[in-house]
Amino acid sequence: MSRGEGKLKLMVVDDEPDNLDLLYRTFRREFKVYKADSAFSAMKVLEDEGEMALIISDQRMPEMNGTEFLGRTLEKYPNTVRILLTGYTDVEDLVEAINSGKVFKYITKPWNPEELKAVVQQASETYKIVTQRTNTLTRALRRESMLNEVMSAIRESLDYSSMLSTIIQTVGQTFDATEGKLWPVEGDRLMPESFSYQNPEITQNNFSFTPEQFLEVVINRQIQLEESSDQNICKLIIPLIYQQDLLAVLALYQQDSSKFWSSEDIELIESVLEQGALALSQAKLYQHTRELAEQMRNELEVARQIQSNLLPQSWPYFDKLRIQACCYPAREVGGDFFEVYTHSQGDIWLALGDVSGKGVPAALLMASVMSVMRRELSQEHPPDPYEIMQNLNIGLCDHLISNNCFITMVLARYTPETGLLAYANAGHIYPLVWSQTALLTAENDEVKPNFLKERGIPLGILPIWKGKAGTIDLNSGDVFLLTSDGITEATVVQEATDSREQTRVMLQQEGLWELLKQHKNQIDLNGLLAYIRANNQVQEDDQTILSLEVL
């Protein structure tokens, strides 16, 4: 609000000296009155003294009339209240005065002093209200603009430490502090590491806060303001609190008394720090989440290594057999497993299975089934695959049913002396058997794979496992292949149709056989699986494959 010595400023403009003197005497007690004998001299007064609360101007003046003069002041001083004096009753002049000059009232000469005083009093109240609203709106816009500016700078920080540094730098610079510091708080204790701001124009360090001041803010969680104009010192300490959680304490120091923070500034700083506390809380939570995620990744990597070690890493060399196996979990750990076990009596046991689900729960069940299966296989005279499957179901059924899980698997025993392969299938994909020798010598379409279709229900469905066992003789050149559904359910690019648009289809066992025929010169499971994985950027399920080739 424009004030001079506690009074509103009023300017009277008239080319008649007597009128000027009369108007001056009338209002000099209530207002700080300025006189101008022409529109041009009035413009000079405005240039020197700034905005007037009220202007009382005569209409008929030489060089520039009152309407034109008031119109010229409108853009620069929109809040000024304008009153026009006229000794004429020209309607067009009055209309122009009201429209172009935004005249509050017009009064005809000679005026009634009491009427003029009443109009001026009303005009001054109008000016106060308009100015107050304008200032309120200006403060609100400034507040919003500053909040947006500060919060944009703060939220650009991605991590917790970076945000702490950004908060003190941005607040210190925005509110023209001499120096500033920000201490993060953990468990109502100031952390030893602090983040600082110093005005680049200030070379001397005068940051003189005592530990007791910060301790009091931490305990009471209240703003502390210390101000001394004599010593040119203003100290401000504000806690950053979000949902009753004290996150940090910010201290600002100002050594220029002309820049001491007003109550409005402090309110704005509080508003900024309220939003800063929210952003800091989110950054802290994000950092904590990242740390937990990193810890989980490390633990899962250990779990992956442990699970990988549970699977056979090597097996004895056989003169007349070639065994290959590989397993790729969809996540760090998975539910697929395989086994290659050579019994002391000479039998070779092969198993491949899939625990329902993915991730850690499936991996734990996978470890359990392998433990129980190896106990069965390590007996001096292990039973046939069908009985072992029943024993596995008995040992794991309660645990599987209680966790709403099941296991599909194929267990096979190959006896090199006789070439007999005995197997049992608990709801798993059909094993494949074919003659690699015939595949190499005959036309592709002439060789068909043998799908071993004897199968029972998955483990963990019923208390007693039921299914059909099977046997088959393997001759020289025959291949026995086991896969998990992560391979057969992978997608591949189908040949282009007439529309020349490529489509992706599920591989399935028929598609797997076509790939095996394409790579018939040498059975390379790692290469085959690499080809399938290359066509699937996202692995949806664990992928495991195992083969036994009679040489």
Side-chain angles (χ1 to χ4, degrees):
M1 183 178 293
S2 299
R3 293 184 179 273
E5 299 177 357
K7 298 179 181 180
L8 291 178
K9 294 194 292 186
L10 181 150
M11 182 167 66
V12 292
V13 186
D14 200 315
D15 59 335
E16 297 181 15
D18 292 341
N19 286 343
L20 279 180
D21 291 338
L22 178 58
L23 291 169
Y24 178 82
R25 291 193 303 272
T26 301
F27 298 109
R28 65 185 178 86
R29 294 184 181 276
E30 292 81 13
F31 298 89
K32 184 175 181 180
V33 183
Y34 297 86
K35 297 190 295 183
D37 58 5
S38 69
F40 290 104
S41 60
M43 298 289 286
K44 183 65 170 62
V45 171
L46 288 173
E47 183 179 343
D48 294 339
E49 301 297 334
E51 181 181 294
M52 298 288 160
L54 298 91
I55 297 178
I56 302 175
S57 176
D58 185 25
Q59 167 65 6
R60 296 295 180 177
M61 294 185 295
E63 297 179 333
M64 185 187 301
N65 63 31
T67 300
E68 184 180 355
F69 160 64
L70 293 177
R72 289 192 179 186
T73 66
L74 183 62
E75 182 176 355
K76 191 171 183 180
Y77 308 107
N79 293 342
T80 299
V81 181
R82 299 161 181 80
I83 298 173
L84 188 66
L85 298 176
T86 177
Y88 302 90
T89 57
D90 190 336
V91 175
E92 291 186 2
D93 282 351
L94 295 179
V95 171
E96 184 183 359
I98 293 171
N99 291 337
S100 62
K102 301 298 182 184
V103 172
F104 177 72
K105 290 282 186 180
Y106 72 90
I107 297 176
T108 58
K109 296 180 180 179
W111 62 81
N112 182 307
E114 295 304 321
E115 180 185 351
L116 181 58
K117 285 184 178 182
V119 170
V120 169
Q121 181 62 35
Q122 183 183 6
S124 65
E125 294 299 326
T126 300
Y127 176 79
K128 292 177 183 178
I129 293 173
V130 171
T131 303
Q132 181 181 9
R133 290 179 178 176
T134 301
N135 290 341
T136 301
L137 179 59
T138 301
R139 286 195 299 269
L141 292 175
R142 175 176 176 266
R143 179 191 186 96
E144 182 179 357
S145 175
M146 187 170 292
L147 276 173
N148 290 337
E149 181 179 349
V150 173
M151 292 314 302
S152 294
I154 291 175
R155 291 185 181 277
E156 284 179 359
S157 304
L158 297 179
D159 57 55
Y160 180 65
S161 296
S162 175
M163 184 167 289
L164 286 166
S165 178
T166 302
I167 287 175
I168 184 60
Q169 293 293 329
T170 306
V171 172
Q173 182 178 0
T174 302
F175 294 96
D176 202 16
T178 303
E179 295 177 71
K181 282 194 176 183
L182 180 67
W183 279 269
V185 174
E186 292 287 348
D188 288 343
R189 294 180 59 186
L190 293 176
M191 302 301 291
E193 182 185 12
S194 64
F195 299 83
S196 303
Y197 164 80
Q198 183 166 353
N199 191 316
E201 299 178 359
I202 306 298
T203 57
Q204 186 176 1
N205 192 327
N206 295 315
F207 199 78
S208 56
F209 289 84
T210 65
E212 290 76 17
Q213 289 175 302
F214 293 109
L215 181 61
E216 184 177 349
V217 172
V218 171
I219 295 174
N220 299 329
R221 302 191 176 192
Q222 299 292 328
I223 293 176
Q224 269 202 9
L225 177 64
E226 180 184 331
E227 191 174 287
S228 174
S229 300
D230 297 336
Q231 300 179 10
N232 286 338
I233 293 177
C234 184
K235 299 179 180 179
L236 180 63
I237 307 177
I238 301 180
L240 278 73
I241 301 173
Y242 178 69
Q243 292 185 346
Q244 300 182 346
D245 185 15
L246 180 62
L247 303 176
V249 173
L250 182 141
L252 296 177
Y253 173 81
Q254 179 57 261
Q255 65 180 20
D256 185 349
S257 58
S258 65
K259 297 180 180 179
F260 283 3
W261 298 291
S262 64
S263 58
E264 179 188 337
D265 291 330
I266 295 175
E267 288 180 5
L268 186 54
I269 293 174
E270 285 186 273
S271 298
V272 169
L273 294 184
E274 284 179 4
Q275 297 298 314
L278 171 61
L280 193 60
S281 175
Q282 293 173 340
K284 191 174 182 180
L285 178 61
Y286 176 66
Q287 176 178 278
H288 182 61
T289 303
R290 287 185 60 184
E291 291 173 351
L292 290 178
E294 182 64 27
Q295 179 183 349
M296 185 176 295
R297 278 194 294 268
N298 293 335
E299 292 176 354
L300 286 175
E301 176 58 29
V302 174
R304 185 197 66 78
Q305 188 61 46
I306 293 173
Q307 184 183 38
S308 177
N309 292 337
L310 286 175
L311 300 176
Q313 303 300 308
S314 62
W315 37 84
Y317 174 78
F318 304 101
D319 291 337
K320 297 183 179 181
L321 295 175
R322 184 175 178 227
I323 297 176
Q324 298 182 64
C326 49
C327 177
Y328 289 94
R331 301 179 183 175
E332 286 82 355
V333 292
D336 276 13
F337 62 91
F338 70 90
E339 178 64 288
V340 178
Y341 183 83
T342 304
H343 196 272
S344 58
Q345 294 181 353
D347 290 340
I348 300 170
W349 291 83
L350 304 175
L352 189 147
D354 183 4
V355 180
S356 62
K358 299 180 182 68
V360 174
L364 293 174
L365 288 172
M366 165 263 186
S368 297
V369 69
M370 291 201 68
S371 175
V372 176
M373 181 174 60
R374 284 174 178 173
R375 184 182 64 202
E376 293 285 331
L377 297 179
S378 63
Q379 299 179 65
E380 183 177 356
H381 298 285
D384 59 38
Y386 183 89
E387 292 180 41
I388 292 181
M389 201 72 81
Q390 287 185 322
N391 295 339
L392 289 175
N393 190 76
I394 293 172
L396 299 169
C397 188
D398 290 342
H399 189 56
L400 291 171
I401 292 176
S402 63
N403 288 278
N404 197 28
C405 295
F406 61 88
I407 298 171
T408 67
M409 66 175 291
V410 174
L411 177 64
R413 180 189 62 201
Y414 177 70
T415 304
E417 293 180 357
T418 63
L420 180 67
L421 180 79
Y423 61 91
N425 186 340
H428 200 74
I429 297 172
Y430 298 139
L432 270 72
V433 174
W434 74 91
S435 172
Q436 184 68 9
T437 303
L439 188 63
L440 290 171
T441 58
E443 295 294 333
N444 285 351
D445 293 339
E446 295 179 1
V447 179
K448 302 294 182 182
N450 184 7
F451 292 96
L452 306 182
K453 297 186 177 182
E454 289 80 8
R455 188 163 64 176
I457 61 175
L459 302 180
I461 300 297
L462 296 175
I464 303 298
W465 182 77
K466 296 180 180 181
K468 292 182 179 180
T471 60
I472 187 173
D473 291 320
L474 296 183
N475 301 312
S476 177
D478 285 349
V479 180
F480 173 69
L481 182 72
L482 299 174
T483 66
S484 67
D485 59 3
I487 293 178
T488 57
E489 292 179 2
T491 59
V492 292
V493 176
Q494 192 178 46
E495 293 294 331
T497 60
D498 294 339
S499 62
R500 297 184 179 180
E501 292 182 0
Q502 291 185 334
T503 57
R504 299 188 68 85
V505 296
M506 191 176 295
L507 184 63
Q508 299 182 340
Q509 286 193 293
E510 291 77 8
L512 177 61
W513 173 244
E514 292 299 322
L515 288 179
L516 290 168
K517 290 194 297 183
Q518 293 174 18
H519 300 80
K520 63 182 180 180
N521 292 331
Q522 182 181 8
I523 299 176
D524 179 9
L525 297 190
N526 282 307
L528 179 67
L529 195 52
Y531 175 83
I532 296 172
R533 288 166 57 82
N535 278 272
N536 292 262
Q537 295 181 354
V538 178
Q539 184 179 342
E540 299 292 343
D541 199 359
D542 304 332
Q543 296 177 342
T544 307
I545 191 166
L546 170 65
S547 69
L548 180 146
E549 182 180 2
V550 181
L551 300 177

